[in-house]
Amino acid sequence: MTDLRDFPFYRPRLDGRGVPAPWSVEDLEDFAGAHDDPFAGRVRAGAKPRVALQIEATSEPPVWSSLDGRDLDAWAGAVSRLWARFGLGAGDSIAFFDYGSNPCVLLSSSIYVSHLRRGAATRLGASVICNDGVASMTARLLGILEAVHPSALVIRRDLIAPFVDALGTRGLPPGSRLRWAAVSEVEGAPARADAERLQAAIGAPVRRLLRADAAYLVSGDCPSCGLFHLDPAYRAEPLAGGGVALSARFAAECPAIGYRLDGAEIVGRGCAAERRAARLAWS
Amino acid sequence: MELNGRARPAEPFDRLDTLTPAALRRWWTKRLRGVLETAMSELPFYRSRFGAAGFDAKEFRSLDDLRRLPTFRKRDMLGRQAELQSHALGIERRADGRVGDTLTVSSGTSGTTFLTVNPRWRRRQGRSSARAHWWAGFRPGSPFVISAPAWHAYAAIQPYLAEFFDAPCVVVSGTYLPRYADRIVDALRRFRPRYVTMFLPMVFPILAAARRMGLEPRALFDRAEVLLVTGAPITAGMERHLKEMTGVGRIAEVAGATEGVLAVSCTERSGLHVVPDTCYVEALDPQTREPVPAGRRGSMVHCFLIPEGSVYLRYDTEDVITRDDSPCACGLPSPRIKIVGRWEASFRLGGETVVAYDVQLALEEAVPETVGMPFVISREGLNCGKLRLLMPEPEARAAALAERIVAALAERFGAGGEVAWVRELPLQFKGVAPVLSETQVG
Ligand SMILES: [Zn+2]
Ligand SMILES: [Zn+2]
C-alpha cells in the first residue's frame, strides 16, 4: 500500500484521513517550478526512475512521471482492454497518427518503451505501426493505409483536418480496411463534432478517447451509451461542486491519487454493453 | 594494445571484438550460411529468388560466393508491394504467431516500404546495437533520452539500449523538430545524460532553442562525454564544430540503413566499423556489380544477419560508400565504411559524380569559416553546369567570403561556382546540404 506521506507533492495536501486535496496539472507545474523538481514531488526521495515520461499537457515547466515495468504493464493492460472493447483482435493492425509519447502509442508495443513486457496491442495479437504526429506526414499515413491495411486508426485531433483534406482530394486508398478510428486530445476528450467529421470522411465509426496523462488515464467512449467507460484500473469519485477526482490504482512509483478531472461527471453503472463499468460523461 | 604485432581493442565488448580480420571473415561466412539457409527454407521471396539463380545455401563456402546471389533495390520491393498489395513481402520471419508484429517505416523519395520487428529481433538487434554504442563510448548508468515515436528503426532499438545500459529511459513528448526543441532541451537539462544520441539535423535547432531559453548551448551538455550523431555523414570540420558548440569531448558517428545496416566510428575516426553481428557490407560498382577497390566509391549492398523480422539479403540501399579493409589502429577487426550520400542525390560536375558531402568537404578545407554554415545546392545552377550555393548572408565581409568560396569550388570541381546570399536557411540544413530548386527555398 502506497503511503502518500512519502511523496513531497502529496504530503502537504493530505487531510486527517490521509486523502489528498484534488489537484490539477497546474499544481504539478507550480510544485515543479518552486522546487526545481522535474517529477513535481511525485517520486520518493532517492528513487531512480526506470522510465521517465514527459507529460505532454505540461509546459511551464514540463513535468515528468516515473514508471517501472510493473506500472507500465498494468497501464498497458488498461489500454489493451480499451482496444479490445473497440474491436481490435488477433490478425488486425492498428495505425497511430500521433507522437510516440502519447501513452496510447507508447504502450501499444513492447518495442516502443523500455521495461514494458507486453504491448497493449501486440498482446492481443495485433500488429502496430506509428507515424510522426505532424500534418506533413499525412501522405505517409495514406501509404500506410494502402499497404498495411490497418483495421484501426488512432489519430490526434489536430490531424483530422489535414487527413480529411487529403482524403477529399485522393480518396481513401483502395484496399483500405479501416473498421474504426479513435480521436485523441492532449488532455481531455475531443468534441463530438471532430469525431463526426472524421466518421463522415472514412465511412467507419469513430470513437473518442479521454486522456489525462498526469493520472495515466486513457478511456474511450461507448457506441451504445455514448459515455466514457472507466477501466477497473481507475477509481473515480465525485467532487463537491462538480468534476471528478480520479486515481490510478496501479501507479506505485509516481502515484496519481485525486487528480481533478474538470469537465467529467460520474454516471451510474449499467450500460448494456458493459454492465459493471463505471462511466463518465464529458463536456 | 599490441599483441603479436596486431592492435587489440582496449575495451572489447565481447570475444567477437577480439577476432582477427581473417577469423571474422570465417565467422561471417558461417553466420551468413545459417541466415541464407533460414531464408531458403522459410522466406518465400528468397526461396524463389535463390531457385531462379540456381543457388543452394548449403553450398555457400566463402564470402565471395555472395556474388552468385542477385542484388535488389527499393524499387523492386515497391513493385512487389504494389503487386501483392501488402506491406508483407515474403521476407518477414515471425517469432511468435500469438504476438503482433511492430512495423517500422523505410521512407524515401521513391516511396515507403515497411519492416516488421518483434521481441526476438529486439533481443538480438539490441545486443548488436549495444555493441555499436559501446564502441562509441557508451557505458552503463547514464539516462538515455530516446527518440519516440518508434516509426524509425533506430528509435525502435533505443528502449532496449536503455535497458541494456541499465539507464533510465527518458521519453520526450513530441520529438518533431524544430517545434518541440524546447522539450528536448528540458530533457537534457533535467537528466544530464553522459551519452547523448541525436540526428544531426536535430542538433542545431536544439542549440538554438537553448539560446532562446537563455541557456548556453554548452550548459545542455555539461555532463556529456559522448555525442553520437546519425542521419548525415560528418566531416572532420563538422566534428570540430560540434565539439566547439557543445563542449562534448567525443563526437561519434553512427550510420546505417533501416533495412539492417549498422556502422559506427571508433576512437581513430577514420571511417565507421561495420557492426559484424548486424550486417555484412559490400561496396559494389553500380554498373559492373563487382566490388570496388579500397577507397573508391561504390553502392552499399548488405546482408542483414539477424534472421528475425524483415530479412534483407544482398540488398542495394543505393547509398554511396567507400569501404576500407586495412587494419584499424583501434584493433576492431571489421572493415570500415563511410556513407557519403545517395546516388539519387548525386550530380555530375566537371566530368565527376559529386555528392553534397564533397562540396562541404571542399569548402571547409579551403574556407574554414564556412564550417557550420548551412547551405543549399541550387538545382537550377546544376542544370547549367554550375555549382550555385544559397547561403545565409554573414553580417560582415560577405563579398570577400563569396569570392573565396567561388575560387575554392572552381579549384576543387573545375566548374563555375556562385554564391547567392539569402536571409536565412533552416538550421536543419547544417551539415546536410540538400539539392533544391530555388523556388523551394523561397
Ligand atoms: Zn456504454
Ligand atoms: Zn577503428
Side-chain angles (χ1 to χ4, degrees):
Chain A
M1 186 61 200
T2 304
D3 186 346
L4 290 184
R5 285 173 300 186
D6 294 344
F7 299 86
F9 174 73
Y10 288 108
R11 208 176 297 135
R13 312 186 76 85
L14 299 176
D15 66 12
R17 297 170 303 141
V19 177
W23 50 274
S24 66
V25 161
E26 289 75 30
D27 295 316
L28 288 181
E29 288 176 333
D30 289 347
F31 192 99
H35 297 84
D36 195 29
D37 175 358
F39 298 104
R42 284 206 298 163
V43 296
R44 290 183 184 86
K48 193 180 154 203
R50 309 295 284 173
V51 171
L53 176 60
Q54 202 179 30
I55 300 170
E56 194 177 347
T58 60
S59 59
E60 283 173 8
V63 178
W64 297 74
S65 39
S66 168
L67 300 122
D68 67 8
R70 239 185 312 188
D71 297 332
L72 287 164
D73 266 297
W75 192 6
V79 177
S80 188
R81 288 185 287 274
L82 175 62
W83 295 155
R85 178 158 70 78
F86 281 176
L88 192 71
D92 288 339
S93 300
I94 182 167
F96 295 97
F97 193 15
D98 198 342
Y99 297 112
S101 52
N102 176 345
C104 298
V105 185
L106 192 74
L107 300 169
S108 276
S109 165
S110 63
I111 300 289
Y112 290 163
V113 65
S114 304
H115 306 294
L116 173 62
R117 274 188 317 114
R118 296 162 71 228
T122 51
R123 71 173 71 176
L124 298 171
S127 295
V128 178
I129 182 161
C130 78
N131 190 20
D132 254 334
V134 283
S136 55
M137 293 297 163
T138 306
R140 186 157 76 189
L141 177 66
L142 295 184
I144 288 171
L145 294 182
E146 190 170 347
V148 182
H149 315 296
S151 36
L153 169 69
V154 177
I155 183 171
R156 255 175 108 83
R157 196 253 313 144
D158 55 295
L159 297 172
I160 292 176
F163 180 52
V164 169
D165 285 351
L167 292 183
T169 41
R170 290 175 50 180
L172 209 56
S176 163
R177 289 177 212 154
L178 269 188
R179 284 203 316 265
W180 58 271
V183 186
S184 115
E185 186 65 270
V186 173
E187 172 78 15
R192 240 179 257 277
D194 291 319
E196 283 160 5
R197 183 169 178 217
L198 181 61
Q199 186 156 322
I202 63 171
V206 175
R207 306 260 55 89
R208 293 186 297 150
L209 296 170
L210 172 59
R211 195 177 143 198
D213 294 0
Y216 314 106
L217 173 67
V218 178
S219 165
D221 72 356
C222 164
S224 347
C225 68
L227 299 169
F228 289 89
H229 287 203
L230 209 55
D231 187 88
Y234 307 101
R235 193 177 68 235
E237 283 149 309
L239 288 174
V244 168
L246 193 103
S247 304
R249 298 180 201 272
F250 56 84
E253 281 295 300
C254 178
I257 308 289
Y259 178 76
R260 174 186 281 282
L261 199 59
D262 285 324
E265 293 300 332
I266 296 175
V267 180
R269 294 166 202 266
C271 171
E274 206 181 17
R275 291 222 164 269
R276 291 168 55 198
R279 293 181 296 170
L280 297 177
W282 176 264
S283 54
Chain B
M1 193 166 69
E2 293 254 338
L3 203 71
N4 303 332
R6 186 174 72 85
R8 294 288 182 101
E11 290 182 80
F13 180 76
D14 62 13
R15 209 183 63 85
L16 193 55
D17 286 2
T18 66
L19 297 183
T20 63
L24 177 60
R25 287 179 69 82
R26 287 194 296 276
W27 185 90
W28 258 333
T29 305
K30 197 170 157 221
R31 176 79 170 253
L32 254 167
R33 184 163 51 231
V35 175
L36 290 166
E37 280 176 3
T38 300
M40 198 165 77
S41 61
E42 294 183 32
L43 307 176
F45 175 77
Y46 292 110
R47 199 177 305 137
S48 64
R49 210 169 166 77
F50 292 0
F55 176 82
D56 184 350
K58 290 198 174 56
E59 289 163 17
F60 184 80
R61 304 248 184 276
S62 85
L63 296 173
D64 289 337
D65 289 341
L66 276 178
R67 291 192 211 183
R68 292 164 45 210
L69 277 179
T71 62
F72 62 102
R73 302 173 189 193
K74 180 112 173 188
R75 71 182 76 113
D76 300 310
M77 293 326 245
L78 285 168
R80 193 167 161 82
Q81 189 169 281
E83 184 192 322
L84 299 171
Q85 296 191 2
S86 170
H87 68 95
L89 303 171
I91 60 169
E92 297 83 8
R93 190 161 185 239
R94 215 158 170 209
D96 178 350
R98 291 162 304 175
V99 178
D101 285 321
T102 301
L103 277 69
T104 61
V105 174
S106 171
S107 288
T109 46
S110 55
T112 299
T113 49
F114 303 88
L115 286 90
T116 67
V117 299
N118 58 51
R120 277 211 326 232
W121 167 87
R122 183 182 191 266
R123 277 196 298 280
R124 296 186 67 178
Q125 179 66 72
R127 188 171 164 82
S128 183
S129 299
R131 174 192 310 282
H133 287 72
W134 180 270
W135 289 355
F138 282 47
R139 294 295 180 268
S142 157
F144 201 118
V145 180
I146 70 165
S147 310
W151 59 266
H152 186 275
Y154 184 47
I157 210 61
Q158 288 181 332
Y160 177 91
L161 293 174
E163 287 174 23
F164 182 90
F165 286 107
D166 193 24
C169 170
V170 178
V171 183
V172 184
S173 72
T175 47
Y176 199 78
L177 286 165
R179 193 192 292 178
Y180 291 103
D182 56 336
R183 304 194 73 93
I184 296 171
V185 168
D186 177 64
L188 295 175
R189 279 178 70 201
R190 289 304 186 178
F191 294 95
R192 300 171 68 211
R194 278 158 54 208
Y195 315 105
V196 182
T197 69
M198 272 187 197
F199 289 87
L200 184 66
M202 282 169 56
V203 175
F204 300 101
I206 287 169
L207 296 178
R211 268 191 221 100
R212 277 199 307 277
M213 294 160 75
L215 287 167
E216 257 306 298
R218 282 175 170 238
L220 281 192
F221 297 91
D222 62 345
R223 275 189 71 202
E225 295 163 24
V226 180
L227 171 60
L228 184 149
V229 287
T230 183
I234 310 290
T235 59
M238 177 52 73
E239 186 185 328
R240 278 195 306 275
H241 181 61
L242 287 170
K243 275 188 181 172
E244 228 160 80
M245 301 286 289
T246 61
V248 178
R250 179 166 174 193
I251 308 293
E253 178 184 349
V254 158
T258 312
E259 288 79 8
V261 179
L262 186 60
V264 64
S265 63
C266 64
T267 44
E268 298 301 314
R269 305 195 314 277
S270 60
L272 283 66
H273 285 279
V274 170
V275 181
D277 41 359
T278 290
C279 55
Y280 178 74
V281 176
E282 302 166 88
L284 300 187
D285 183 290
Q287 265 73 52
T288 67
R289 314 308 284 165
E290 290 295 315
V292 294
R296 288 271 289 282
R297 286 180 178 179
S299 225
M300 180 160 80
V301 172
H302 83 281
C303 292
F304 183 49
L305 299 180
I306 297 170
E308 307 290 352
S310 295
V311 182
Y312 279 82
L313 296 171
R314 268 214 131 205
Y315 181 68
D316 183 346
T317 64
E318 298 173 88
D319 286 292
V320 185
I321 68 163
T322 55
R323 177 178 141 149
D324 181 357
D325 282 69
S326 66
C328 182
C330 81
L332 288 171
S334 69
R336 284 157 293 160
I337 60 172
K338 180 84 178 178
I339 304 178
V340 294
R342 296 188 55 73
W343 292 113
E344 65 189 6
S346 68
F347 44 89
R348 298 287 295 173
L349 209 60
E352 188 188 348
T353 299
V354 175
V355 289
Y357 177 83
D358 300 319
V359 179
Q360 195 182 335
L361 208 55
L363 280 185
E364 75 179 37
E365 280 166 6
V367 195
E369 55 269 50
T370 57
V371 172
M373 280 176 83
F375 66 91
V376 165
I377 299 168
S378 156
R379 167 75 54 206
E380 288 82 356
L382 293 176
N383 290 345
C384 315
K386 262 192 318 203
L387 199 47
R388 181 174 150 84
L389 305 186
L390 312 185
M391 301 180 96
E393 184 165 4
E395 279 165 18
R397 293 201 286 274
L401 183 64
E403 214 168 280
R404 289 171 58 213
I405 290 172
V406 169
L409 296 176
E411 164 80 22
R412 166 65 182 80
F413 300 105
E418 256 178 44
V419 175
W421 296 123
V422 294
R423 230 167 35 134
E424 59 177 355
L425 286 176
L427 289 174
Q428 294 96 302
F429 290 173
K430 262 195 174 192
V432 276
V435 177
L436 289 177
S437 163
E438 295 189 23
T439 57
Q440 289 171 274
V441 181

